[in-house]
């Protein structure tokens, strides 16, 4: 920890320019501190003022925060509104219907522009079609779609009729999809025939068919299919319908379903430290307020002139907040991208920024690190070869960014003039929590700096007591905020024990990350997960989920999964496996390892495939049978085992497990 503190103390500081301070939504540290002080003086009044200022209410609320049933907090509960109305109708009614809402670029480079008026009409047609097919307020609809305008339309259409959507990332397997369909008790699925990534067609409809064929999904009455490629699909009459057919005769207008502020807008499943994914449930008003507000604060969005581009997928929370809801609630223009950053070459991002005159660019450190390597290998696709002068703000998301990548991003992509907002947040938080503000916060590479106004973040010890700055501890939030998750779908006890644990007093939100605050500036640096959750390319994967998949294979008797640092993906998955037969070696070991990787990819999705697989006669366990994961983490990193191994049942096993395949 001392080494990290030294780096932060000695780090170069990038001060905001006078021009940035003059134009920013929160300009200068004095303006930032004024908002922080307002929240401290009148917490409920602070959030209520913002909710009245930034959202359009059908029925105004009379009360802000209700803590009477803690930790099941509510905000603005007696008010009514509609998320789709706030994202679309109010801009059209304000005379902004011809403003471009989405610039969509397909994998092959074809570009489609959709205005707010056109987007509203498309959402209304699908909303009417869903209503006509029996989908009602409170029903759950699973969306398993490629990156597309249709994906956003599907989400907004559900919100318009008060149906709760649950988007499943298109890279997840049929089994993962089946688990989510069952848990949500979905009544409908919206999907596509195929998706296209990097010039390759990848199935979606066939995976939906497999998921529905696994059982437990009898509530699904219909599957609506977007025809993306025209690829061959199997068809079940009476259940499967084409998207273009169901919207063909529908009206371009649809009355919004006015819902209570606490109405579940969506469920998004995220990996936990147990095998079963947990359905993070977000409310309508609190979530939407933070999505809109952070667009203005963190990205300093100027809807009349900015072109915003978040490179995430709608299957993750970043795509929910900073593609579907945030930019549209703010009335902005955004770029959406179907492809991958390295196709047809690794200059694709820079070429798109140049072509679409992107002003605010938001991507993951994993992508930045991979593009650094590509640029070093091929001068022709280096960012300096492109006109990136339109950029004024850069952002990172998904994991902490290392200082070296931050500096490259700032200098080579931003030309040394663009603030880099290193955003810390989670699926559960709904939006940014700790992040620099362009025009206010002095920037330090490698630090997400300070909490946003109204976010009472702190670092505590194992008993919930504050620790001094400069000392590492557990990241918590001391007071509920409007955008926080409301519960784990169908499992309120898991919500209470997982996010408000009794050992911390039962009233602190546990982020699940370790953190340290700089003893001079108070800046936060996130140290990584404290539970058994890995962060791979900005995507959270539960170790238990991967272990369960491995053990389900007929060859595997036992498995343990840990992470090791990786300069490109942040963390790499390392699996230690005991087979039901003798330990394989050489070519046979490689063959079985490849087989197990493919199996995990099928069970969970390609992103969960272990980078390394190591075989042993058994796993390192204490004499009481507990797996010594601290030893496995050291082995995964290639470290020499120096810890006490006297309690191990079989110390010799460590030599076997040190061999990566």
């Amino acid at each position: 920890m001392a080494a990290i503190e030294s780096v932060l103390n000695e780090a170069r500081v990038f001060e905001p320019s006078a021009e940035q301070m003059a134009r920013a939504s929160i300009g200068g540290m004095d303006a930032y501190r004024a908002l922080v002080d307002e929240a401290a003086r009148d917490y409920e009044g602070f959030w209520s003022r913002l909710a009245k200022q930034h959202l359009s209410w059908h029925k105004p609320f009379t009360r802000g925060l209700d803590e009477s049933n803690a930790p099941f907090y509510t905000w603005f509960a007696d008010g009514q509104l509609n998320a789709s109305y706030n994202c679309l109708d109010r801009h059209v009614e304000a005379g902004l219907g011809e403003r471009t809402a989405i610039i969509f670029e397909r994998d092959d480079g074809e570009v489609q522009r959709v205005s707010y008026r056109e987007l509203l009409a498309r959402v209304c047609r699908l909303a009417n079609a869903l209503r006509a097919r029996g989908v009602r307020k409170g029903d759950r609809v699973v969306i398993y779609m490629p990156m597309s305008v249709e994906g956003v339309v599907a989400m907004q259409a559900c919100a318009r009729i008060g149906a709760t959507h649950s988007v499943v990332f298109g890279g997840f397997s049929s089994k993962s999809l089946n688990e989510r369909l069952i848990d949500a008790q979905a009544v409908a699925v919206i999907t596509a025939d195929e998706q296209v990534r990097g010039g390759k067609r990848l199935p979606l409809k066939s995976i939906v068919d497999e998921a529905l064929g696994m059982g437990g999904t009898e509530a699904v009455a219909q599957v609506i299919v977007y025809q993306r490629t025209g690829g061959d699909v199997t068809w079940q009459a009476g259940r499967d319908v084409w998207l273009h057919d169901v919207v063909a005769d529908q009206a371009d207008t649809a009355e919004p379903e006015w819902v209570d502020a606490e109405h579940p807008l969506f469920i998004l499943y995220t990996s936990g430290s147990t095998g079963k994914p947990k359905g993070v449930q977000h409310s309508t008003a609190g979530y939407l307020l933070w999505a809109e507000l952070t667009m203005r604060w963190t990205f300093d969005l100027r809807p009349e002139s900015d072109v915003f581009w978040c490179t995430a997928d709608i299957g993750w929370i970043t795509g929910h907040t900073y593609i579907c809801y945030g930019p549209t609630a703010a009335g902005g223009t955004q770029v959406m991208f179907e492809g991958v950053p390295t196709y047809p070459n690794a200059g694709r991002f820079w070429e798109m920024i140049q072509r679409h005159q992107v002003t605010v660019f938001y991507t993951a450190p994993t992508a930045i690190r991979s593009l650094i390597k590509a640029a070093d290998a091929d001068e022709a696709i280096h960012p300096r070869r492109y006109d990136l002068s339109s950029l004024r703000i850069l952002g990172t998301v998904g994991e902490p960014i290392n200082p070296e990548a931050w500096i490259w991003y700032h200098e080579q992509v931003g030309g040394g003039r663009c603030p880099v907002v290193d955003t810390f947040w989670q699926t559960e938080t709904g939006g940014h929590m700790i992040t620099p503000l362009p025009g206010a916060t002095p920037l330090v590479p490698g630090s997400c700096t300070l909490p946003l106004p109204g976010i009472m973040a702190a670092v505590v010890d194992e008993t919930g007591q504050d620790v001094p700055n400069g000392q590492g501890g557990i990241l918590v939030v001391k007071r509920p905020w409007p955008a926080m998750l409301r519960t784990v779908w169908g499992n309120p006890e898991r919500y209470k024990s997982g996010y408000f644990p009794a050992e911390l007093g039962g009233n602190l939100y546990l982020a699940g990350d370790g953190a340290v605050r700089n003893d001079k500036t108070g800046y936060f640096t996130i140290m990584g997960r404290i539970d058994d959750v890995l962060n791979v390319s900005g995507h959270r994967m539960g170790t238990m989920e991967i272990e369960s998949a491995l053990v389900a294979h007929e060859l595997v008797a036992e498995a343990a999964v840990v992470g090791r640092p990786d300069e490109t993906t942040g963390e790499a998955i390392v699996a230690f496996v005991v087979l039901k037969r003798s330990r394989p070696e050489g070519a046979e070991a490689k063959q079985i390892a490849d087989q197990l990787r493919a199996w995990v990819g099928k069970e969970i999705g390609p992103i969960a495939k272990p980078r390394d697989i190591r075989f042993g006669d058994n796993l390192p366990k204490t004499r009481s049978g507990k797996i010594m994961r601290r030893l496995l983490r050291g082995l995964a990193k290639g470290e020499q085992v120096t810890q006490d191994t006297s309690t191990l049942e079989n110390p010799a096993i460590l030599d076997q497990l040190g061999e990566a395949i």
Side-chain angles (χ1 to χ4, degrees), residues 208-397:
V208 171
D209 292 340
E210 289 179 15
L212 294 175
M214 292 176 179
T217 60
E218 291 74 19
V220 176
Q222 57 197 299
V223 177
I224 299 173
V225 187
Y226 161 49
Q227 193 172 35
R228 166 61 183 90
T229 66
D232 292 336
V233 293
T234 57
W235 211 251
Q236 182 173 313
R239 185 196 72 183
D240 299 346
V241 290
W242 289 112
L243 175 62
H244 57 262
D245 286 337
V246 298
V247 301
D249 298 324
Q250 298 296 337
D252 289 349
T253 59
E255 182 67 17
E257 183 74 35
W258 304 109
V259 299
D260 294 340
E262 285 294 316
H263 180 76
L265 178 61
F266 64 86
I267 305 164
L268 187 56
Y269 287 87
T270 183
S271 293
S273 56
T274 63
K276 183 181 178 182
K278 51 189 174 186
V280 171
Q281 177 187 317
H282 276 289
S283 70
T284 297
Y287 168 82
L288 192 65
L289 169 64
W290 204 222
E292 199 266 1
L293 197 57
T294 51
M295 285 296 302
R296 298 185 184 276
W297 284 0
T298 308
F299 298 122
D300 185 32
L301 188 77
R302 304 289 167 164
E304 68 280 358
S305 57
D306 275 328
V307 176
F308 175 78
W309 183 17
C310 169
T311 67
D313 190 285
I314 57 172
W316 307 107
I317 186 63
T318 305
H320 281 55
T321 307
Y322 299 111
I323 294 178
C324 182
Y325 290 111
T328 53
T333 297
Q334 67 171 314
V335 172
M336 278 187 71
F337 177 47
E338 180 181 42
V340 296
T342 54
Y343 178 83
N345 60 59
R348 182 70 179 269
F349 274 4
W350 322 133
E351 189 273 334
M352 286 182 61
I353 291 170
Q354 173 181 277
R355 178 144 43 89
H356 299 304
Q357 293 292 285
V358 172
T359 60
V360 183
F361 181 61
Y362 193 38
T363 195
T366 296
I368 295 167
R369 288 191 290 264
S370 67
L371 294 174
I372 290 173
K373 288 184 178 181
D376 288 345
D378 185 355
E379 173 65 22
I381 55 173
H382 195 283
R384 70 170 67 96
R385 295 289 187 178
Y386 301 83
D387 180 3
L388 306 182
S389 60
S390 62
L391 287 170
R392 65 180 190 87
I393 293 174
L394 302 173
T396 69
V397 60

Side-chain angles (χ1 to χ4, degrees), residues 172-187:
F172 276 126
S173 69
S174 55
K175 182 178 179 182
S176 295
L177 178 59
N178 172 263
E179 292 171 344
R180 288 153 173 79
L181 287 165
I182 292 173
D183 193 71
Q185 284 297 287
V187 302

Side-chain angles (χ1 to χ4, degrees), residues 116-154:
Y116 273 92
R117 192 181 309 281
E118 293 169 318
L119 186 58
L120 174 58
R122 290 169 69 166
V123 167
C124 286
R125 285 196 291 269
L126 182 54
N128 288 330
L130 290 172
R131 279 172 169 158
R133 301 185 70 82
V135 180
R136 296 290 180 260
K137 174 183 174 182
D139 286 343
R140 274 80 62 203
V141 176
V142 163
I143 298 171
Y144 189 63
M145 293 279 278
M147 280 296 289
S148 57
V149 177
E150 284 74 14
V152 172
V153 168

Side-chain angles (χ1 to χ4, degrees), residues 583-657:
R583 175 175 174 262
E585 296 181 352
E588 183 187 25
K590 184 179 186 306
Q591 179 184 4
I592 295 175
D594 289 343
Q595 185 178 347
L596 294 180
R597 287 190 186 95
W599 171 264
V600 172
K602 182 176 182 296
E603 291 289 290
I604 302 175
I607 199 168
K609 291 181 180 180
R611 179 79 60 82
D612 301 339
I613 294 181
R614 306 180 183 197
F615 295 105
D617 292 330
N618 48 58
L619 296 175
K621 297 180 181 178
T622 63
R623 289 179 175 85
S624 63
K626 182 179 179 181
I627 297 174
M628 298 185 72
R629 292 178 184 272
R630 62 181 173 85
L631 294 179
L632 295 181
R633 293 187 185 99
L635 288 173
K637 297 174 186 176
E639 298 173 347
Q640 290 291 323
V641 176
T642 58
Q643 302 105 310
D644 178 19
T645 59
S646 60
T647 58
L648 273 183
E649 189 177 35
N650 179 12
I653 201 66
L654 299 178
D655 292 333
Q656 292 181 358
L657 296 174

Side-chain angles (χ1 to χ4, degrees), residues 507-520:
N507 59 353
L508 299 178
Y509 169 83
L510 175 64
D513 286 285
V516 61
R517 297 193 74 170
N518 183 270
D519 59 5
K520 292 182 179 178

